[in-house]
Amino acid sequence: MSDIDFRRKINWHRRFRSPEGEKSEHEILRIFESDRGRIINSPAIRRLQQKTQVFPLERNAAVRTRLTHSLEVQQVGRYIAREVLSRLKEQNLLARYGLETLTGPFESIVEMACLMHDIGNPPFGHFGEAAINDWFRQRLRPDAACGDAQEDFHCGIATLRLKEGDDALNTLRCKVRQDLCHFEGNAQGIRLVHTLLRLNLTWAQVGCILKYTRPAWDAQTPPASCRYLMKKPGFYFSEEHYIARLRSELELGDYCRFPLTWIMEAADDISYCVADLEDAVEKNIFTVEQLYHHLCARWGQHCQGDLFSQVVLDAWEKSRANNMRRSAEDQFFMYLRVNTLNKLVPYAAQRFIDNIKPVFDGSFNQALLEDDSPASRLLDLYKQVAMQHVFNHPDVEQLELQGYRVISGLLDIYSPLLMLPLADFQQMVSEGGVRHLPIETRLYHKLSSSHCLAYKEAVDKLSCSNPHYEVMEFYYRCRLIQDYISGMTDLYAWDEYRRLMAVA
């Protein structure tokens, strides 16, 4: 019996109301079909249609949103998953690895993880993340939380300020401050599916979107053996116990990843690299001819038969020679996309198989398309050209700065709710408002009911007599505001900011 048995990883049980007893192949597949339905019909997926991929507030429907990007990632993920399973079948390894009756769930888990991979992203993408983190860092000063209590006078929240002789509570204060200042889209995705949307997905399906394994409150330098897996926060303090249970159910060691997450990650890398360049041409940031010259210049000398010639040069020559009525632009990107997929998908699948032991264990400390191969070099080529000529373009930078200002401004607007004394905020929650606090009451009324419910349930589990109560209540209050603002679409955030700032 192989020590690689995917039946131990493709866990079809759920946190609540889990199926019981032995299940047939068909019954297990139906369980994962239920996951698909829960995910596809969730509001978080629908909101992706008005969230930024590269170009915020874009009105041109031909330019990708997070939703269209996620659909493309889903397709590439399915392609890689099928390639892995096909190659394992050819080598008569499906039964040995416990996959003979789990090919359907294997493919479905990857597809749905790909569809969900961006659901935690805030408005305006990475600039939205930066705005949230900068705003909280300026007020909580997490770096000062690791020093002497006597020096911790910069934190703007008295409840979270370190106090001499209060070591146990100071440890919690430090943890909370670090956690709140490390908002991250992947960690928010975990919070969405479990705490906010309560999708009650299978353990395997949630495990596949746990892309990074570092807790958001962990400020230590990751060990070298896990540096890649821990390069970003993967989950928050609020989901700590849930993630501990997830690790147990999926037999994941500390800081280890679910095996199929590597496929989801590779699908995302392949998809966005070509898509960002195509969208830039659609936005007239450069022409196809200019893009081709950018790619040639960045790659350097190429020769017949190398990967650049097989993918980029081939796409260029076919798009020029084709007499069909479709534009040369469309032809170029069609061939570039097909060529890229036909080279990188099999390579990613084979890397998964070649490293199946550390991948299965969850300890493989790099991406499938991150090595010294020509495939990795090609992917890096696309990323570098996009970074130099797309993300640094003045129009893109201006939109990102506007997005940063919108998110920072919304946090300023809702900050009175964070400044309220504990008793006033609790009265507001229990009674729906406080008469002598008209501004705060109206702000509270604008919050999402599902987010408010998550706050109430978390605080209700705390004991009022526990010395941790005030710290944890404030922590969940901050989470409430972060949940609400990060859940907005780009357009809603823009409109909300203009309305509340009384901008015509």
Side-chain angles (χ1 to χ4, degrees):
M1 175 66 73
S2 170
D3 56 353
I4 299 173
D5 186 349
F6 277 88
R7 288 170 295 187
R8 291 164 32 210
K9 298 293 185 180
I10 300 180
N11 186 331
W12 42 264
H13 291 93
R14 305 182 189 279
R15 175 69 178 85
F16 303 106
R17 301 179 303 281
S18 180
E20 301 294 339
E22 294 293 321
K23 299 295 178 185
S24 67
E25 178 180 359
H26 177 66
E27 288 171 325
I28 293 173
L29 188 57
R30 285 184 65 189
I31 291 170
F32 286 102
E33 284 295 328
S34 177
D35 274 359
R36 294 175 74 92
R38 296 170 194 220
I39 293 162
I40 289 171
N41 289 287
S42 69
I45 296 297
R46 294 194 293 274
R47 287 194 185 100
L48 291 175
Q49 65 190 310
Q50 287 188 4
K51 285 199 173 185
T52 293
Q53 179 57 23
V54 174
F55 303 98
L57 304 170
E58 178 54 50
R59 298 183 182 277
N60 182 349
V63 175
R64 288 164 178 82
T65 64
R66 290 279 177 190
L67 179 59
T68 48
H69 162 68
S70 296
L71 290 170
E72 292 173 351
V73 177
Q74 178 184 349
Q75 170 58 25
V76 178
R78 180 172 178 259
Y79 186 1
I80 299 173
R82 287 193 165 189
E83 188 74 16
V84 168
L85 293 169
S86 177
R87 291 179 180 225
L88 290 176
K89 184 178 181 180
E90 288 174 359
Q91 299 172 46
N92 296 315
L93 290 174
L94 287 178
R96 178 181 174 184
Y97 292 154
L99 283 168
E100 197 168 31
T101 61
L102 291 175
T103 56
F106 185 103
E107 186 179 315
S108 183
I109 291 167
V110 170
E111 274 197 83
M112 289 300 99
C114 290
L115 184 61
M116 285 194 293
H117 81 283
D118 273 347
I119 62 170
N121 283 23
F124 308 106
H126 295 303
F127 264 70
E129 284 181 343
I132 293 171
N133 288 326
D134 289 349
W135 194 92
F136 276 88
R137 284 191 189 111
Q138 289 162 15
R139 286 152 183 82
L140 302 187
R141 301 299 295 267
D143 295 339
C146 301
D148 191 331
Q150 289 183 327
E151 302 296 322
D152 189 33
F153 47 81
H154 295 291
C155 177
I157 306 299
T159 303
L160 298 187
R161 214 170 285 146
L162 303 184
K163 295 176 174 58
E164 286 192 83
D166 201 0
D167 291 348
L169 205 51
N170 284 345
T171 299
L172 179 63
R173 290 180 178 118
C174 180
K175 189 173 185 178
V176 162
R177 284 161 65 176
Q178 289 288 347
D179 194 82
L180 290 171
C181 295
H182 287 87
F183 179 93
E184 214 282 331
N186 292 287
Q188 188 68 16
I190 295 290
R191 179 164 170 79
L192 265 170
V193 299
H194 173 61
T195 307
L196 302 180
L197 298 177
R198 307 173 189 211
L199 296 182
N200 195 27
L201 302 175
T202 58
W203 294 111
Q205 189 64 75
V206 179
C208 202
I209 62 168
L210 185 63
K211 184 176 179 182
Y212 299 110
T213 59
R214 177 163 68 86
W217 65 87
D218 186 353
Q220 303 300 313
T221 302
S225 61
C226 303
R227 190 163 294 151
Y228 179 77
L229 298 175
M230 297 177 68
K231 74 176 185 178
K232 292 182 180 180
F235 60 94
Y236 301 135
F237 184 31
S238 50
E239 281 66 54
E240 179 181 23
H241 297 303
Y242 174 70
I243 294 298
R245 173 76 184 276
L246 179 80
R247 290 191 182 286
S248 174
E249 294 288 345
L250 297 177
E251 300 183 21
L252 296 176
D254 289 344
Y255 312 126
C256 289
R257 216 191 226 183
F258 184 70
L260 306 193
T261 307
W262 273 277
I263 298 178
M264 178 269 284
E265 179 181 51
D268 185 28
D269 284 345
I270 293 170
S271 298
Y272 81 77
C273 288
V274 175
D276 291 351
L277 299 176
E278 185 175 11
D279 285 347
V281 171
E282 181 69 31
K283 289 284 293 178
N284 295 317
I285 287 179
F286 44 55
T287 65
V288 164
E289 289 81 4
Q290 289 170 328
L291 170 59
Y292 176 68
H293 291 305
H294 291 326
L295 292 169
C296 288
R298 173 66 66 169
W299 182 272
Q301 186 66 37
H302 62 272
C303 55
Q304 185 176 3
D306 69 6
L307 193 58
F308 183 90
S309 298
Q310 293 179 54
V311 174
V312 181
L313 179 60
D314 179 79
W316 175 255
E317 291 178 344
K318 285 179 177 177
S319 68
R320 299 296 116 178
N322 201 308
N323 293 321
M324 292 176 63
R325 293 179 63 184
R326 293 183 63 188
S327 72
E329 287 181 5
D330 291 344
Q331 287 287 300
F332 175 73
F333 282 110
M334 181 187 74
Y335 287 121
L336 184 68
R337 189 163 47 250
V338 168
N339 290 349
T340 300
L341 287 172
N342 286 343
K343 295 299 180 183
L344 297 194
V345 166
Y347 185 80
Q350 192 58 48
R351 279 269 287 169
F352 183 93
I353 294 169
D354 290 344
N355 296 281
I356 198 162
K357 183 63 171 72
V359 165
F360 179 83
D361 293 340
S363 59
F364 188 57
N365 195 32
Q366 57 182 264
L368 294 179
L369 293 168
E370 184 184 79
D371 57 7
D372 296 326
S373 67
S376 178
R377 184 184 174 195
L378 181 68
L379 206 59
D380 188 60
L381 169 70
Y382 296 155
K383 292 179 183 179
Q384 292 301 321
V385 170
M387 181 62 67
Q388 182 177 353
H389 299 284
V390 182
F391 303 135
N392 291 337
H393 191 274
D395 290 349
V396 176
E397 290 185 339
Q398 179 175 320
L399 287 168
E400 288 173 336
L401 290 172
Q402 288 175 339
Y404 184 96
R405 180 66 194 119
V406 166
I407 299 301
S408 300
L410 286 170
L411 287 165
D412 287 338
I413 289 167
Y414 283 90
S415 65
L417 293 175
L418 300 179
M419 297 300 106
L420 281 180
L422 173 59
D424 286 341
F425 191 75
Q426 288 186 324
Q427 182 184 351
M428 186 170 295
V429 171
S430 62
E431 299 178 10
V434 178
R435 188 169 183 177
H436 69 275
L437 296 170
I439 302 301
E440 290 83 351
T441 296
R442 282 157 179 77
L443 289 171
Y444 181 75
H445 287 167
K446 293 184 72 65
L447 299 178
S448 161
S449 58
S450 63
H451 297 155
C452 291
L453 180 60
Y455 165 83
K456 291 175 190 175
E457 289 192 343
V459 172
D460 285 347
K461 292 176 183 177
L462 304 173
S463 170
C464 295
S465 60
N466 191 315
H468 294 176
Y469 183 83
E470 285 193 36
V471 173
M472 291 308 300
E473 184 283 327
F474 186 79
Y475 171 73
Y476 288 120
R477 207 190 308 180
C478 291
R479 280 267 156 255
L480 169 61
I481 302 303
Q482 288 193 7
D483 290 339
Y484 177 58
I485 292 177
S486 69
M488 295 176 178
T489 64
D490 293 13
L491 187 59
Y492 184 88
W494 177 265
D495 289 343
E496 181 79 341
Y497 175 72
R498 290 171 63 87
R499 281 192 296 264
L500 295 175
M501 292 296 290
V503 177

